[in-house]
Amino acid sequence: MEHSYLGKAGIQVSNICLGTMTFGLTRPPPGNSCDEDLSHQIMDRYIELGGNFLDTADIYNNGYSEEIIGRWLERRERENIVLATKVRANMGVEKNINNIGLSRRHITASIDKSLERLKTDYIDLYQTHCWDEATNIEETLRTLDDLVRCGKVRYVGASNVIGWQMQKIIETSKSLGLNPFVSLQQQYSLLSRWSEVESFQVCKMEGLGVLPWSPLKGGLLSGKFKRNVAPAEGRIAWVAEDEKKRKTQAGPGWSTLDDATFDILEMAEKIGKGKGKSVAQVALRWLIQKDVVSSVIIGATKLSQLEDNMQAASGWSLSPEEMQQLDEVSKIDLPYPYEMVFRLNEQRKNPFSAAQHVFST
């Protein structure tokens, strides 16, 4: 596998990160299950293939994902693993109204519980799982900085924020002299590019590495789906009246798909056929080659699924022309003022200006 720096931090991670949201998941179809034994097999194989980066969260299966990783870590060299987890969610203690958010109280309680479940004394990357409107940002940032200073956390990052929120985090950290955020974990794929407009502009300007989640758009970019051929089963097959069961942009239902979606799938398939690669591998490689991306987070509930996706990591690449074709077919229509700002600055590239670092859409 290839390795990249985690933003401007000095730590290197494999360019594919193993996401563990399905570890311990036992809900019936159209969900997937991944028991502890299979989870351990998947992590073993991921490490054998050269990976070193695991991502989880306290809320994943109410802590069970972290517990599974913790028992696996006991027989591994901890120093060889870059371990990431997240904080913000309510962990199910209904009588405790403070058991949620990014307050000092919730963060300090959550880190100790995560460390216990993961059977480690430090987290490499501790991430806020989403913005918290109920907590003053200074409180959150000072608490995270304290965790770094006391050694429980090595680096801090964010997840699921919009552009002004990311910039607010960065500027507040600077003004208070705190340890800076090094990464942003965000939904990003050929079918989800809106974060390029602002959030990733901030990341590129400030040196944060992007960690795309749902890189295959909930399986839609797996290559299984064809125009005008409705699937008989699975999450993508859900019809409109069933989508209220899981309303999420990360895994759209069949009834929400349009011609533009299949234009993207068909372009990825065309490029893949010319290289002997699957649609999924092309979609993952497109992300890996984006200069704002440090590592792409994949999930797996089968060893065969892991093996297939890991083939995007190294040994081949998309040409500049192929990247441009995928960029063009998946481009988003920018509203004002974004379209005007980007268009008028297209020819204003100054290598001595900080603007050179802005991620180009």
Side-chain angles (χ1 to χ4, degrees):
M1 290 188 68
E2 298 168 354
H3 292 79
S4 305
Y5 284 99
L6 186 58
K8 62 184 178 183
I11 189 172
Q12 293 191 63
V13 294
S14 49
N15 60 358
I16 289 184
C17 170
L18 181 59
T20 64
M21 186 173 69
T22 59
F23 287 6
L25 186 62
T26 57
R27 69 167 179 258
N32 293 310
S33 62
C34 198
D35 63 19
E36 183 160 344
D37 181 62
L38 178 56
S39 299
H40 284 197
Q41 291 179 46
I42 288 172
M43 286 187 284
D44 285 342
R45 185 56 179 151
Y46 170 74
I47 297 300
E48 289 174 2
L49 292 170
N52 75 336
F53 192 16
L54 300 178
D55 176 75
T56 187
D58 57 2
I59 193 60
Y60 291 171
N61 303 305
N62 203 35
Y64 193 28
S65 173
E66 288 186 332
E67 290 178 13
I68 288 173
I69 295 171
R71 287 188 283 271
W72 177 83
L73 271 178
E74 285 187 305
R75 57 184 177 84
R76 285 283 175 179
E77 291 291 334
R78 172 67 181 90
E79 289 298 317
N80 293 335
I81 308 298
V82 179
L83 182 60
T85 192
K86 309 179 198 74
V87 59
R88 185 192 182 281
N90 190 320
M91 290 293 290
V93 184
E94 296 179 2
K95 294 181 179 180
N96 184 354
I97 62 172
N98 291 310
N99 192 42
I100 189 172
L102 296 176
S103 68
R104 176 173 289 271
R105 175 170 172 167
H106 184 58
I107 292 173
T108 53
S110 296
I111 186 65
D112 287 339
K113 292 174 183 176
S114 285
L115 290 171
E116 181 179 358
R117 286 189 290 264
L118 289 164
K119 299 186 184 302
T120 184
D121 56 5
Y122 70 97
I123 303 297
D124 292 288
L125 177 63
Y126 202 44
Q127 303 156 106
T128 56
H129 213 154
C130 190
W131 184 263
D132 180 14
E133 292 190 357
T135 304
N136 188 294
I137 190 62
E138 286 85 355
E139 177 181 343
T140 298
L141 298 180
R142 286 188 183 277
T143 305
L144 294 172
D145 187 67
D146 288 343
L147 296 184
V148 175
R149 291 167 62 86
C150 75
K152 291 183 178 181
V153 170
R154 298 292 187 258
Y155 300 96
V156 288
S159 183
N160 305 314
V161 297
I162 55 182
W164 73 261
Q165 293 169 347
M166 191 72 257
Q167 194 68 57
K168 181 73 172 177
I169 289 170
I170 290 167
E171 296 304 325
T172 304
S173 296
K174 287 180 180 178
S175 68
L176 296 176
L178 307 178
N179 282 282
F181 276 46
V182 301
S183 62
L184 170 62
Q185 185 176 148
Q186 201 90 328
Q187 185 189 164
Y188 187 30
S189 71
L190 283 166
L191 291 168
S192 181
R193 295 184 61 187
W194 276 105
S195 288
E196 291 177 355
V197 178
E198 285 202 1
S199 298
F200 295 173
Q201 301 278 353
V202 176
C203 290
K204 197 62 180 173
M205 288 277 283
E206 301 290 346
L208 279 73
V210 169
L211 306 174
W213 63 266
S214 195
L216 299 181
K217 194 67 171 178
L220 188 53
L221 287 163
S222 65
K224 300 176 183 177
F225 307 102
K226 307 293 182 182
R227 195 189 303 263
N228 299 323
V229 183
E233 59 183 5
R235 181 167 62 182
I236 303 300
W238 290 351
V239 293
E241 58 266 26
D242 292 327
E243 286 174 1
K244 62 186 178 180
K245 297 178 182 177
R246 182 179 169 88
K247 297 190 71 173
T248 170
Q249 293 182 0
W254 180 260
S255 65
T256 67
L257 308 184
D258 55 16
D259 285 337
T261 297
F262 291 100
D263 290 344
I264 294 168
L265 291 173
E266 289 167 5
M267 177 60 73
E269 183 178 25
K270 178 182 176 181
I271 291 173
K273 284 182 177 179
K275 293 180 172 294
K277 302 296 180 182
S278 68
V279 171
Q281 290 163 359
V282 169
L284 292 171
R285 190 69 207 180
W286 178 81
L287 286 169
I288 288 170
Q289 290 183 214
K290 290 294 183 180
D291 60 0
V292 75
V293 170
S294 287
S295 184
V296 178
I297 303 171
I298 65 167
T301 55
K302 301 176 182 178
L303 284 170
S304 59
Q305 191 178 53
L306 175 71
E307 297 274 359
D308 183 73
N309 289 341
M310 291 288 278
Q311 290 184 44
S314 64
W316 65 286
S317 63
L318 296 169
S319 68
E321 293 76 19
E322 290 165 339
M323 289 292 290
Q324 185 175 6
Q325 288 175 333
L326 290 167
D327 285 347
E328 183 64 25
V329 76
S330 65
K331 70 178 181 180
I332 53 180
D333 292 326
L334 296 173
Y336 174 84
Y338 304 105
E339 184 279 330
M340 182 177 182
V341 170
F342 292 147
R343 173 169 47 82
L344 294 183
N345 282 282
E346 187 63 31
Q347 305 303 318
R348 298 287 293 171
K349 304 299 181 184
N350 182 346
F352 297 99
S353 169
Q356 68 173 311
H357 300 298
V358 174
F359 181 69
S360 175
T361 57

